[in-house]
Amino acid sequence: MSTPTPFQVAIEQSTINAILAKVKAYEWHEMPEIDPGADRWAYGADMEYMKELCAYWVDAFNWRAAEAKLNAFPQFKTTIETQEIHFYHVKGSGNAPQPVILTHGWPGSVFEFLDVIDLLAHPENHGGDAEDGLTLVIPSLPGYGFSGKPKKPLGPKRTAELWDKLMRETLGYDTYIAQGGDWGSVVSGSLAYNHGINKGGGCKAVHLNMWGIRPDTAPETDEEKAWAAAAAFDFEMEGAYLRLQMTKPQSLSYAMMDSPVGAAAWITEKFNGWSDTRGPSESHIENAYTKDQLLTNIMIYLATGTFNTATWFYRGMMEEGGSNMAPGDTLEIPTGFMRMPEEGKFISIPPRSMAEKAFNIIRWTEPSEGGHFAALETGSVFADDVRAFAKQVKG
Amino acid sequence: MTRPVIPADPFKIHVPDHEIADLKHRLEQTRLPNEPDGNEHWDYGTSLSYMERLISYWRDDFDWRKQEAWLNSFPQYKVSLTDDADQDHEVHFVYERGSGQNPIPLIMTHGWPSTFREFLDVVDRLAHPENYGRSGPAFDVIVPSLIGYGFSSLPRQPIGPAVMADLWHQLMTDVLGYDTYCAQAGDWGSFVTSRLALQHADAVRAIHLTMLPLRPNLRHESQPPITEEESTWIKEMRTWWAGEEGYRSIQSTKPMALAYAVMDSPAGLAGWLADKYYRLGDTDKSHTWEGMEARFPMDTILTQLSIYWFTGTINSANTLYKAGPAEGSALLKPGQQVTVPTAYSEYPMDTLPITPKSWAERSYNLKQFKVMDKGGHFAAMEESELFADDVRDAFSVLI
């Protein structure tokens, strides 16, 4: 166990220049003709939008400004059992701020949480009560962003073991709340399931905004069955990246590590597909994100050269034997679900009746807007829900 | 020998010097990924040590001009054809007339991730068997590039095998003047060829396949119940596919999520495709790269990759996986069967279970069923002598 070392993001200029040179030199090609009015993203990433994004990337995007934002909160690195972990550690206001570990997923990063840090840690700055302040720990998943690259794939169960050690042994928080979406929901679910205070671990409550850790309960009501059918259909149409990354991540990596525009398209397609892009007139990705937000997240993958190792997490999950609960098992730790309306359908949270069969649900919210990257898309909705959940846990 | 004039434009490949220089530049700039421990047998996908060898050979040793000259030693043409939806296509094809008075016209169709190059090692063997001490029939050999592949045109909107089959029929009849002809194929070519046999049964005399793409409609009364052998085979195939189908899954749903990277990075193109040659070829997998290079010499695989690269067709080629299923042409209608006499040869790919003969009989008028003792998915390249003899023998039986 090492003492955490303070860390700041400082990417070499030559790395940035090499990325931008390739973006600038990109030779656009054809894409299938899309009929007027039809979905321009039907085949994957829309080329018109990719051209626009890349023009902005070269002409206007300022990595140093993005880096300054990333460095606005205290960051550290520590090594837990050979795995180097990067994390934000922000102490909350008030007398006894509740520690919460927030975990991102793929293709996201710690950047997803930047806008909610101050809202959650220092509510008094935003018209709230300092006593509701939360102490935040926001790690980069192994193989992602500023964390170290593992030598071989590891998955959410193993990551949860590392997180429990990070919270209790490295940082000295005997108990904590876990929160996450995407892989973060699986890691957080695994903290609650395998490292709950009822099992000798430190996780005392969990707040999830994706259907990550899954019980083996069958759908029963019509509503549950409709949800399950939509999820299965959606998986056929939307689950290909997962099938690939779970089996042959290396065959994809040569292209994605060598082509910044290629990696940007692979990632942007997901941000478009899983987010609340609804707008007053028509759906558009920029109803959910600015180009600066999209590019900052993409640049974290590119500048650290972690596209490859990030995809390993899928294979790691498979090698761990999946992420489901054992048949018949339930999760006893108090659980909050935030069911976002525009979440990808195959990972969407089921009707409450179905979740209740296996979870000890103390909070269930269904916001009217937002999608998969909830903290990034709808920061205040996300922060209000997490804060309210922490208050409920406190009782 | 003077060739009769056909209504198509003679074609020679010529890649401009600056494109060759650009390829080398990109290879020099390649940023390689790391690799998980334990990837000696490509379990996580294309091996890094193989890729390092391939990139260095492509950059420093590969002589495109030499390969180009060899490709151009085969007579090639381009012709404009229009499909039923009024989309125009330019079809590139090799056309080698066979020896003797009555060579059999034979159209051979490649698949993915291959090109027309796949059949070039057998063109001469099939057209001029006497040069190889063989006495069987000679063939007029026609090897088109699939639409969206190699030197054929890119479709504005993707088209599937049923539409390509109609184009092939136009090529064989209207352009080349044959009333009847035979067809041979594997992979996507076997979809096109099966559709050709279904849609133009009067003109197609016989087909030889190395893959069976059509699915029988099991609900029809003509279909006997699934046998135990078939049921075991289906289960084994599903298990195998679960580990291998990631590429298919992406290409059939989101080809434009992948396109930007593989169109930009020659190393990325190689990494995406090499895995398929390793896995589907009859390669010795006991060593990370020796077996692969023995089966597919660098010059061979890099000619294939260079055709994709210089023609900029990996995106349109991948998109066939979306256009094919969208066409819905692989599932036979209840009671429907390919009536054209069919020979099937299975070239083993070590990890794949052998197809039951009864399965082949459900969809095809099967006259011959052979399991070869070596070969693999790219048999015409891998075992050209064995493959040419197999094809020649099959059509001797079929017609």
Side-chain angles (χ1 to χ4, degrees), chain A residues 216-228:
Chain A
D216 75 333
T217 45
E220 288 168 313
T221 68
D222 286 350
E223 193 196 8
E224 291 170 12
K225 283 177 186 164
W227 167 85

Side-chain angles (χ1 to χ4, degrees), chain A residues 205-206 333-337 352 360-364 389 392-393:
Chain A
V206 64
I333 300 299
T335 303
F337 277 106
R352 180 168 184 165
N360 170 16
I361 297 173
I362 64 160
R363 183 177 178 82
W364 181 277
F389 177 73
Q392 274 179 264
V393 171

Side-chain angles (χ1 to χ4, degrees), chain B residues 135-179:
Chain B
S135 59
F139 296 85
D140 281 353
V141 182
I142 296 98
V143 184
S145 295
L146 288 170
I147 302 301
Y149 285 66
F151 300 95
S152 284
S153 58
L154 276 59
R156 284 197 319 279
Q157 288 194 325
I159 60 169
V163 177
M164 286 195 220
D166 284 345
L167 295 174
W168 275 201
H169 181 67
Q170 279 188 55
L171 171 65
M172 293 303 280
T173 54
D174 299 349
V175 179
L176 301 179
Y178 298 113
D179 294 329

Side-chain angles (χ1 to χ4, degrees), chain A residues 19 50 53 57 61 63 107-109 111 259-269 271 291-307:
Chain A
I19 293 167
M50 288 310 298
L53 184 70
W57 199 349
F61 179 69
W63 168 253
S109 62
F111 171 69
S259 170
V261 175
W266 189 261
I267 292 171
T268 303
E269 195 272 326
F271 274 79
K291 291 190 180 80
D292 281 327
Q293 287 178 312
L294 292 169
L295 289 169
T296 300
N297 180 63
I298 289 164
M299 281 294 279
I300 290 173
Y301 282 83
L302 297 177
T304 57
T306 50
F307 184 98

Side-chain angles (χ1 to χ4, degrees), chain B residues 26-96:
Chain B
R26 286 173 196 256
L27 290 167
E28 279 159 15
Q29 303 288 314
T30 298
R31 185 187 192 191
L32 281 170
N34 59 337
E35 172 178 64
D37 281 358
N39 200 34
E40 292 80 7
H41 303 293
W42 302 45
D43 292 335
Y44 293 94
T46 304
S47 147
L48 178 60
S49 50
Y50 173 74
M51 280 294 291
E52 284 168 343
R53 294 172 61 83
L54 180 138
I55 290 167
S56 125
Y57 190 93
W58 205 358
R59 187 188 58 217
D60 301 331
D61 303 314
F62 181 66
D63 183 352
W64 168 254
R65 290 290 178 223
K66 186 178 160 194
Q67 299 303 324
E68 191 179 64
W70 179 69
L71 296 172
N72 284 333
S73 71
F74 296 88
Q76 298 162 77
Y77 300 86
K78 278 192 177 186
V79 67
S80 289
L81 298 172
T82 305
D83 68 26
D84 283 349
D86 262 347
Q87 196 178 170
D88 296 327
H89 307 280
E90 206 173 28
V91 179
H92 162 258
F93 61 99
V94 165
Y95 184 28
E96 176 72 22

Side-chain angles (χ1 to χ4, degrees), chain A residues 26 43 45 254 258-259 308 319, chain B residues 34 44 46 256 260 264-265:
Chain A
Y26 193 82
Y43 286 87
Y254 299 97
D258 192 29
S259 170
N308 188 26
E319 291 182 2
Chain B
N34 59 337
Y44 293 94
T46 304
M256 287 302 298
Y260 300 89
D264 187 31
S265 164

